[in-house]
């Protein structure tokens, strides 16, 4: 008897009410590189095993980022910023743009945000400890990252909450820029940065916008529109990734009380705990590339122009790479997860994401005696982001 059909990877219901890990497990076993022709979506390849997935992410000469980095229904339509902004370009252009901002995202630069991350963490925790039920996603996790790195992104003062709202709405439908709410949110972020460019051109500071404006003045081939698109991408990515790690990580710790106790007691190194939570949550479900040439991958032949999606959430549970991958193990070592991507597009903000996650964990373990789940969590119906949209909890000081 033939195996039953595999649930469509672009079916939003799979991610909000289903079990995508069961689907990915089966694909790893039966069809590691598989062709998907799903309703209301242009067809694509799905890569679910670690070695093949990392090969795609690492080989920009065969698999390009310029056609878009997420699956979307209308893959053949032009994608805004494709081929020009950092995320949506290949070397040499990608490397030139990354170099212009790289100094702001080094581990040393990230360490400079520790005091601010501590201050914001304590402030947010004060607002919810012993204050009854709250939604951790929106009351804490969504507010934390941008408050910490607002200055780096050029966002100041009362604009922080406003831009945070725009970036959250923008990512809700990040794969479909024709979605009206998402589209309007992107326009708001773009308009904000359009004004900021002129301000930084007159008075540069130590932020991403200034870095690009100064590089532009030194001869970097980048237009104002491309700077705006890149800053929009950085703002959305910075807020969304940390929000998901904190939300999904908290739920994972509540589901694994022995691991939570080990973290509280200091029995596991903080760095390994951070990486295991990042592996476990995998904030971005997949990344897409477009085949540049006809090329073999695994046991299939991919044709030039075809979309190739790498399912990071599946790679991070590959049984041939991770020992007992379906278990949360905060002392996991080694932990070669791909939550930050791979190759030249490895996430530029990874040191900052680790710093912010670690500081929040430290402050939570220090300031919260008991964490209680007080309702049913809800997941977003998204095949792009692996995220919770509602996590009801209570924090107690004793």
């Amino acid at each position: 008897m033939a195996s039953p059909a595999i649930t469509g990877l672009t079916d939003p219901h799979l991610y909000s009410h289903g079990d995508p890990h069961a689907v990915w497990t089966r694909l790893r076993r039966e069809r590691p590189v598989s062709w998907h022709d799903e309703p209301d979506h242009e067809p694509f390849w799905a890569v679910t095993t670690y070695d093949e997935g990392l090969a795609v992410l690492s080989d920009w000469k065969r698999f390009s980022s310029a056609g878009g980095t997420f699956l979307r229904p209308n893959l053949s339509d032009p994608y805004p910023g494709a081929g020009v902004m950092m995320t949506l370009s290949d070397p040499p252009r990608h490397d030139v743009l990354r170099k212009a901002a790289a100094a702001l995202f080094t581990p040393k630069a990230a360490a400079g945000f520790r005091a601010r991350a501590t201050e914001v963490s304590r402030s947010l925790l004060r607002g919810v400890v012993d204050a009854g039920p709250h939604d951790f996603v929106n009351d804490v996790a969504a507010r934390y990252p941008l408050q910490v790195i607002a200055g780096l992104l050029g966002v100041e003062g009362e604009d922080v909450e406003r831009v945070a709202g725009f970036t959250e709405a923008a990512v809700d439908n990040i794969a479909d820029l024709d979605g009206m709410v998402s589209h309007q949110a992107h326009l708001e972020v773009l308009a904000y940065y359009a004004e900021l460019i002129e301000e930084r051109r007159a008075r540069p500071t130590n932020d991403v916008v200034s870095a690009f404006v100064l590089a532009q003045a030194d001869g970097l081939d980048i237009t104002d529109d491309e700077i705006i698109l890149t800053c929009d991408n950085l703002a959305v990515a910075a807020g969304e990734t940390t929000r998901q790690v904190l939300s999904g990580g908290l739920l994972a710790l509540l589901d694994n009380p022995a691991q939570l106790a080990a973290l509280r007691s200091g029995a596991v190194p903080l760095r390994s705990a951070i990486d295991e939570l990042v592996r476990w949550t995998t904030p971005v479900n997949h990344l897409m590339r477009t085949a540049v040439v006809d090329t073999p991958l695994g046991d299939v032949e991919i044709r030039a122009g075809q979309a190739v999606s790498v399912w990071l959430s599946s790679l991070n549970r590959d049984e041939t790479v991770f020992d007992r991958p379906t278990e949360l193990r905060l002392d996991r070592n080694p932990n070669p997860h791909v939550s930050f991507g791979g190759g030249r597009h490895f996430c530029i903000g990874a040191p900052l994401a680790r710093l912010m996650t670690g500081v929040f964990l430290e402050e939570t373990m220090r300031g919260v005696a008991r964490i209680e789940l007080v309702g049913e969590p809800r997941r977003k119906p998204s095949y792009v982001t692996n995220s919770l949209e509602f996590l009801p909890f209570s924090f107690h000081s004793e």
Side-chain angles (χ1 to χ4, degrees), residues 7-8 11-24 379-381 386:
T7 303
D11 178 5
H13 191 269
L14 174 64
Y15 303 91
S16 59
H17 293 85
D19 183 3
H21 281 290
V23 177
W24 293 320
R379 304 200 68 84
K380 281 190 177 182
N386 178 21

Side-chain angles (χ1 to χ4, degrees), residues 245 249 252-253 273-282 328 330 361:
V245 172
L253 291 171
I274 293 168
D275 271 325
E276 177 66 348
L277 291 174
V278 172
R279 178 193 77 91
W280 186 266
T281 56
T282 315
L328 182 76
L330 297 183
L361 286 174

Side-chain angles (χ1 to χ4, degrees), residues 65-270:
S65 298
T69 53
F70 296 114
L71 292 171
R72 57 193 191 280
N74 50 336
L75 285 169
S76 57
D77 289 354
Y79 197 82
V84 292
M85 58 186 288
M86 185 165 63
T87 306
L88 300 173
S89 61
D90 303 310
R93 178 161 186 82
H94 167 270
D95 295 350
V96 171
L97 294 175
R98 189 178 179 108
K99 183 179 179 181
L104 297 173
F105 293 92
T106 63
K108 182 179 180 180
F113 286 87
R114 174 170 291 277
R116 176 61 179 163
T118 300
E119 176 189 351
V120 174
S121 295
R122 290 176 179 174
S123 174
L124 289 171
L125 289 170
R126 279 195 299 269
V128 295
V129 171
D130 296 329
H134 282 78
D135 171 18
F136 183 82
V137 175
N138 295 295
D139 294 342
V140 180
R143 301 172 63 188
Y144 174 64
L146 197 56
Q147 286 190 25
V148 174
I149 62 169
L152 177 64
L153 298 174
V155 184
E156 300 175 338
E158 62 188 23
D159 292 333
V160 173
E161 290 288 342
R162 185 163 64 94
V163 174
F166 294 152
T167 58
E168 184 179 352
V171 82
D172 277 346
N173 204 8
I174 197 170
D176 180 9
L177 294 184
D178 292 330
M180 291 307 296
V181 174
S182 174
H183 183 68
Q184 184 59 38
H186 275 288
L187 290 179
E188 296 284 0
V189 177
L190 298 179
Y192 180 86
Y193 278 108
E195 293 182 12
L196 193 59
I197 282 178
E198 295 306 316
E199 293 180 18
R200 293 298 186 263
R201 190 164 278 135
R203 293 178 298 279
T205 64
N206 191 34
D207 62 22
V208 172
V209 180
S210 300
F212 280 118
V213 167
L214 291 172
Q216 188 183 52
D218 287 339
L220 176 66
D221 178 23
I222 183 172
T223 67
D224 285 0
D225 285 347
E226 292 161 11
I227 294 174
I228 292 167
L229 285 169
T230 298
C231 289
D232 171 45
N233 177 262
L234 287 171
V236 171
E240 185 65 11
T241 300
T242 307
R243 178 167 76 104
Q244 291 169 25
V245 172
L246 293 181
S247 300
L250 176 64
L251 182 59
L253 291 171
L254 292 175
D255 287 340
N256 294 271
Q259 293 295 295
L260 176 57
L263 183 62
R264 281 195 182 280
S265 69
V268 295
L270 182 63

Side-chain angles (χ1 to χ4, degrees), residues 41 45 56-57 63-72 74-75 77-90 94 174-177 233 236-237 284-290 307-312 341-342 344-346 383-385:
H41 203 290
W45 290 99
V56 172
L57 296 178
F63 302 101
S64 172
S65 298
T69 53
F70 296 114
L71 292 171
R72 57 193 191 280
N74 50 336
L75 285 169
D77 289 354
Y79 197 82
V84 292
M85 58 186 288
M86 185 165 63
T87 306
L88 300 173
S89 61
D90 303 310
H94 167 270
I174 197 170
D176 180 9
L177 294 184
N233 177 262
V236 171
V284 175
N285 272 325
H286 80 270
L287 291 171
M288 191 194 84
R289 299 292 186 260
T290 303
V308 183
S309 59
V310 177
W311 293 82
L312 306 182
R344 301 288 257 278
H345 281 274
F346 184 86
Y383 59 86
V384 176
T385 61

Side-chain angles (χ1 to χ4, degrees), residues 379-397:
R379 304 200 68 84
K380 281 190 177 182
S382 170
Y383 59 86
V384 176
T385 61
N386 178 21
S387 54
L388 292 161
E389 64 179 6
F390 179 64
L391 181 60
F393 76 101
S394 289
F395 277 4
H396 304 277
S397 59

